[in-house]
Amino acid sequence: MLRSPRTSFAESDEGRAFYAAYDALLAKWPRGTVIHDLDSRFGTTRVAEYGPPDAPPVLLLPGAGATSMVWFATAAALGETHRVLAVDIIGDVGRSVAGGDPVRSVDDLLEWLGSVADALGVTRCALVGHSYGAMTALAAAVRTPERVGRLVLLDPNSCFAGMRPAYLLRALPVLVRPTAARERAFLEWETRGAHLDPDWVTLMALGAANFPTAKTIVPRRPSFEELGRCTADTTVVLAPVGRVHDPDKVARAARKALPSCRVVTLTTGTHHTLPMYPSDEVDAVLRDALGAGAPVELDCDPDHP
């Protein structure tokens, strides 16, 4: 992976190809999408915004390497009732540019996220996270419960239960020596050959092979005591045929850890098809979980479909 300055990457053939794939996905966002580049002590954060500016805000956090653009299939539906704010996680693949103070701890990661919300004028919001984004969203809901009204965790890995050894073994070569071909093969394996948006696959492949990322700060799994601080109306959404973890095991662990949470298992999809597919079902689940800004209900039925 390149370790040159970000400007050098942007001027390289690999960088131009990566940003072309990024912009191809941005073109699939609904008309009226606004782009923000927000400064903080950690650098500049890219945020894509869509929806009425006075609607209830929802921050979308992607999985590692997926970038904010992965929400292109969801933005239009959510933007009917919410102010959609999709974030490129700083230090990860995307158009956020790390600079100034490095993110060295979970406290730094959550301070960065809070600074993004502050810059957008958001004091309290809904958080939706997928994979690594779900880990970050859950950490925020535990550490700063006053800022998170609703929480949606899409196929959350390492939040309530561990990952399958076979998945970790298969992912190891991609992590240790990433190439575009290895990333493509890994995605095809995990998604069981599902049809994925080709521009997103290209973005993932080029990002894995070439993007100069920082060390990923991974929030650890919260303890039962820590989870007790989470006051957000929480929905856990699981992919039924993914290879990352056992969805039934995660469902049981989530209900035990957060007895008031909803657990929804989709009818199809894997870890890496989310949040793009199944798009209609994901849209319906998210609309149900987020509501239209109504007061948060904490005594929800854990078996709510």
Side-chain angles (χ1 to χ4, degrees):
M1 181 175 289
L2 296 177
R3 295 296 178 183
S4 54
R6 193 68 53 88
T7 52
S8 297
F9 174 73
E11 295 167 359
S12 68
D13 290 342
E14 295 85 357
R16 283 190 286 269
F18 171 84
Y19 290 121
Y22 187 104
D23 291 343
L25 285 175
L26 177 58
K28 298 176 184 181
W29 276 63
R31 181 174 297 181
T33 297
V34 177
I35 296 300
H36 304 280
D37 289 306
L38 307 174
D39 291 329
S40 74
R41 74 179 182 93
F42 301 106
T44 303
T45 300
R46 169 62 62 93
V47 179
E49 176 176 354
Y50 176 73
D54 57 348
V58 55
L59 263 64
L60 307 181
L61 302 180
T67 83
S68 60
M69 295 296 98
V70 75
W71 303 99
F72 72 91
T74 307
L78 287 186
E80 293 176 2
T81 55
H82 284 74
R83 180 189 178 197
V84 175
L85 302 162
V87 182
D88 279 350
I89 297 176
I90 202 157
D92 192 27
V93 175
R95 284 190 176 272
S96 291
V97 181
D101 296 334
V103 176
R104 291 197 173 111
S105 66
V106 175
D107 286 341
D108 288 342
L109 182 66
L110 297 183
E111 181 184 335
W112 160 77
L113 183 60
S115 72
V116 171
D118 289 342
L120 293 165
V122 175
T123 56
R124 181 175 171 85
C125 66
L127 267 182
V128 178
H130 172 236
S131 192
Y132 174 56
M135 299 169 72
T136 304
L138 181 59
V142 167
R143 300 276 194 99
T144 56
E146 70 281 359
R147 302 202 67 164
V148 184
R150 294 177 186 263
L151 177 68
V152 184
L153 307 175
L154 295 178
D155 214 44
N157 52 307
S158 300
C159 288
F160 305 107
M163 293 186 281
R164 285 172 168 152
Y167 175 84
L168 296 172
L169 186 63
R170 191 71 177 242
L172 189 60
V174 183
L175 296 173
V176 173
R177 188 169 295 179
T179 67
R182 283 182 173 177
E183 180 69 17
R184 287 178 182 273
F186 179 70
L187 289 173
E188 183 174 7
W189 169 78
E190 199 285 324
T191 62
R192 302 177 187 268
H195 175 71
L196 300 172
D197 184 277
D199 293 318
W200 180 77
V201 173
T202 297
L203 185 73
M204 288 287 289
L206 294 175
N210 302 310
F211 199 87
T213 57
K215 179 182 178 182
T216 302
I217 302 301
V218 180
R220 62 177 175 80
R221 188 186 311 171
S223 66
F224 280 103
E225 180 182 359
E226 290 169 329
L227 286 169
R229 303 171 195 158
C230 176
T231 58
D233 180 313
T234 302
T235 303
V236 177
V237 183
L238 299 173
V241 291
R243 299 183 188 266
V244 173
H245 45 224
D246 179 343
D248 292 333
K249 182 178 180 181
V250 176
R252 290 192 299 270
R255 288 187 174 109
K256 182 177 180 181
L258 293 172
S260 65
C261 78
R262 303 176 186 89
V263 178
V264 179
T265 300
L266 302 171
T267 60
T268 187
T270 79
H271 186 79
H272 289 290
T273 68
L274 294 177
M276 298 171 289
Y277 174 82
S279 60
D280 289 346
E281 194 172 355
V282 169
D283 289 347
V285 169
L286 289 179
R287 283 196 299 262
D288 182 61
L290 296 174
V296 173
E297 299 287 345
L298 295 178
D299 55 343
C300 50
D301 181 359
D303 294 317
H304 179 76

